[in-house]
Amino acid sequence: MTTQNTKYIFVTGGVASSLGKGIISASLGKLLLARGYSVAIQKLDPYINIDPGTLNPYEHGECYVTEDGTETDLDLGHYERFTNVLTSQNNNVTTGQIYQSVINKERRGDYLGKTVQVIPHITDEIKRSIKLLGKRYHYDVVITEIGGTVGDIESLPYIEAVRQLKWELGPHNSVVVHLTLVPYLSASGESKTKPTQHSVKGLLENGVQPDVLVLRTEHRLNVDIRKKVAQFCNVELGSVVESHDVDTIYEVPLMMKEEELDLTILNKLELAFKEDPKLMRWNKFVKKLKNPKKEIQVGLIGKYVELPDSYKSIQESFIHAGAENQCKVNVVTIHSEDINENNVKSKLKDLDGVLIAPGFGQRGIDGKIQAARYVRENNIPFLGICLGMQCAVIEYARNVLGYDGADSTEFNRRTPYPVIDLMEEQKNITEKGGTMRLGSYPCNIKADTRVYDVYKNQHIRERHRHRYEFNNLYLEDFEKAGMVASGCNPDTDLVEIIELPKHRWFVGVQFHPEYKSTVLSPHPLFVAFVKEMCSSGSHSQE
Ligand code: GLN
């Protein structure tokens, strides 16, 4: 038996993917925190990549970056946004990492001549990753979300690890929450429980009896449906929880509180209820979000816009900043490849502001540069993030400084004006995975600049994910021509922020503010950007 006091909650999913296990985990984490428990949330991803850093966003949505510079699953973004608890390397584990660690141990001879197998070696490694968080940081509760859907071949070792851990931890030390879908058949006007029953049977085949079922549904469920699910899936009626569709994911913690998911789980874990979660600030946020006084349109220019999850943290940051300003922010996604010199005006003229997104590679760059020029020349509020900032710099060099052919060496190695260039420490790196400048770095902000007004602080830290940087050889030329480097890394002088003081609101940042915006601390840059757009909001609802 394990002796530590941490309690474990496992969240599995059945029937279909994308039911919102991450949101349920984050909501549960939020409720337990609000009751006074310390909580960590972790995601186990059954794919073989070491991390999502090398994945194309079309494959996996956004790659979220933590303070410690780990490239992780976008669900970790939800965890931080909901709980304000920072995540790290230990909060996201993939099959690739599990196998790498087991193979390294085998090469070192740690297994003393044994045959290395999925059971027990892989499952032991999975259990070690789960217990590590509780052990090292002494959380009261660790919530572990198992990626994928029950029945997937690659999820099997994880489910087996859960089965073993449940047994090892003994009664009242762990709970399995299974999230399934209850589809509604409009032809017969019925909600169907059979897929849920089958999904629970799938778990049972693997030796795991879920303790709590969360039923995702488009239509409200009546008590008969809940009873049926309870009876056929061997759970108590009170352990069947409904999760119906709501307007915003930020209502889910409130719905789960209503459904008493936290109380049901605390009961099973024999933990005290402690204080009742008031969620006052959360409620206030949702109220502001749902009762906007103004409405604006912001263009989000990127090259992965077909998949909304590609820019998840940016979208969420606009929601946080919108609520703060009591303004509905409609994010209009525009494919950068669809923008050219002739149509840029018609595509951007009705927007209250434009954000140029992060990205990699040459595809879609011309459109981004055209857009940066249009917003600069037409005094339209602009925020450029990472590649977005770099495009604004290239555009300024070409059209204001007159540096014909200025470029980033990412797109043209032989450009006569490499205004964006590969960072020195990147020059000898050949491996792609986990080798960018990643995670949190300090930035000093110049007094009397727009961003100083925004942050009201001279020293900030922000998260990064890039290989290229502003080329300081050209800094003087830019400053003479009116572009100010208003934030720099104090150790390396790397330009972190550029702005145009003569423009209404034109800011480019080398870092990613979107990773740090949460419900309770909306990011100041997004808040200020939205505020500026609201001041001209052409679509006021008042
Ligand atoms: N491709 C650019 C770089 O590596 C920008 C990266 C980004 O937007 N995250 O510097």
Side-chain angles (χ1 to χ4, degrees), residues 420-440:
I420 303 291
D421 200 8
L422 192 61
M423 280 179 279
E424 199 51 44
E425 68 264 31
Q426 288 285 329
K427 290 193 172 147
N428 295 320
I429 293 177
T430 48
E431 285 207 3
K432 289 271 185 282
T435 54
M436 283 187 245
R437 178 173 182 254
L438 288 165
S440 177

Side-chain angles (χ1 to χ4, degrees), residues 446-513:
K446 276 196 198 137
D448 297 328
T449 57
R450 182 179 307 281
V451 282
Y452 183 80
D453 281 348
V454 168
Y455 281 95
K456 304 203 171 21
N457 199 342
Q458 251 178 302
H459 307 285
I460 59 160
R461 291 190 75 90
E462 292 281 2
R463 299 185 200 171
H464 299 75
R465 184 172 188 245
H466 63 121
R467 293 187 202 283
Y468 293 81
E469 64 175 338
F470 185 98
N471 187 343
N472 275 335
L473 286 177
Y474 296 95
L475 182 55
E476 228 185 288
D477 304 0
F478 275 87
E479 300 221 294
K480 270 190 203 143
M483 180 178 270
V484 172
S486 46
C488 288
N489 179 295
D491 308 312
T492 62
D493 283 339
L494 181 145
V495 173
E496 292 279 10
I497 312 175
I498 54 102
E499 61 181 73
L500 295 178
K502 294 234 167 76
H503 189 280
R504 198 177 133 199
W505 208 98
F506 191 103
V507 176
V509 290
Q510 183 56 74
F511 50 77
H512 292 257

Side-chain angles (χ1 to χ4, degrees), residues 189-324:
E190 284 177 306
S191 295
K192 305 306 273 183
T193 65
K194 196 74 87 189
T196 296
Q197 296 178 43
H198 278 296
S199 167
V200 171
K201 283 216 176 80
L203 261 183
L204 283 168
E205 268 171 33
N206 297 318
V208 175
Q209 165 68 53
D211 302 289
V212 177
L213 293 174
V214 178
L215 308 180
R216 181 73 197 271
T217 171
E218 278 176 46
H219 291 254
R220 302 300 302 259
L221 302 175
N222 59 36
V223 72
D224 290 339
I225 296 276
R226 290 191 193 224
K227 269 190 193 155
K228 195 169 174 186
V229 170
Q231 189 183 12
F232 285 95
C233 300
N234 309 315
V235 297
E236 292 156 315
L237 182 57
S239 301
V240 178
V241 167
E242 175 186 307
S243 173
H244 54 263
D245 288 1
V246 276
D247 294 341
T248 145
I249 54 169
Y250 298 108
E251 282 180 88
V252 177
L254 307 176
M255 174 166 64
M256 289 301 111
K257 185 178 174 232
E258 217 34 37
E259 287 282 312
E260 300 189 340
L261 175 64
D262 52 337
L263 296 184
T264 303
I265 287 176
L266 288 173
N267 252 326
K268 290 186 189 298
L269 294 173
E270 292 191 336
L271 287 174
F273 290 174
K274 295 200 192 177
E275 63 244 59
D276 193 40
K278 298 273 183 303
L279 303 180
M280 259 140 50
R281 287 177 66 198
W282 193 279
N283 270 307
K284 209 169 142 196
F285 163 81
V286 173
K287 208 167 152 200
K288 282 209 268 179
L289 182 62
K290 294 185 82 172
N291 297 290
K293 296 214 163 89
K294 299 186 193 103
E295 189 166 349
I296 54 166
Q297 323 287 329
V298 60
L300 167 58
I301 302 179
K303 65 172 173 176
Y304 305 111
V305 291
E306 302 89 332
L307 186 75
D309 272 1
S310 304
Y311 303 109
K312 193 82 205 163
S313 293
I314 292 176
Q315 301 268 11
E316 299 305 316
S317 300
F318 274 128
I319 292 174
H320 308 154
E324 186 71 16

